Amino acid sequence: MAIDPGAFTARLILERPVETPDGQGGVLRGFETLATLWARIEPVSALLRETAGAERATVTHRIRLRRRDDIIGGMRFRKGMRLFAIRVARDPDETGRYTLCDCEEDRP
């Protein structure tokens, strides 16, 4: 699989989920920045659905970046106001050079 590193033109922020105590026995769930990196975003498919009388679109993407061993499902990428939830990350050609993430983006 030939991947052109020059195609990594999207500047993304990698975020991981964190939980902090809310002082009442529960937790507040949020995200914290882990890294800023260059990647390539490729739209794959879109699904339009109706939820509570409003239409929402879920767009799936493949996000390619240089190899990282710390990416797991549940993390997300941020690009401005856009959020890409990472479902799975893998080595696309098993050479240890790149990471390919299957992601979903919800759009109103």
Side-chain angles (χ1 to χ4, degrees), residues 12-104:
L12 302 178
I13 297 171
L14 176 62
E15 298 178 333
R16 67 177 168 202
V18 292
E19 294 182 348
T20 55
D22 66 1
Q24 299 177 356
V27 294
L28 298 172
R29 290 182 179 90
F31 284 85
E32 69 179 7
T33 299
L34 185 62
T36 302
L37 41 84
W38 290 101
R40 178 178 177 186
I41 302 172
E42 302 171 39
V44 176
S45 66
L47 174 66
L48 187 61
R49 66 185 188 286
E50 186 176 334
T51 305
E55 287 187 341
R56 294 197 56 86
T58 299
V59 182
T60 60
H61 300 273
R62 284 191 191 106
I63 297 182
R64 298 173 191 268
L65 56 142
R66 291 193 185 278
R67 179 70 180 171
R68 288 192 66 106
D69 292 327
D70 58 347
I71 298 178
I72 59 172
M75 293 177 152
R76 71 183 185 190
F77 293 110
R78 175 183 295 275
K79 182 180 181 189
M81 298 301 293
R82 297 173 68 189
L83 298 173
F84 303 92
I86 300 170
R87 299 300 176 220
V88 67
R90 62 187 184 280
D91 184 344
D93 58 2
E94 298 187 8
T95 61
R97 297 178 301 157
Y98 300 102
T99 297
L100 176 63
C101 300
D102 293 327
C103 302
E104 289 184 358

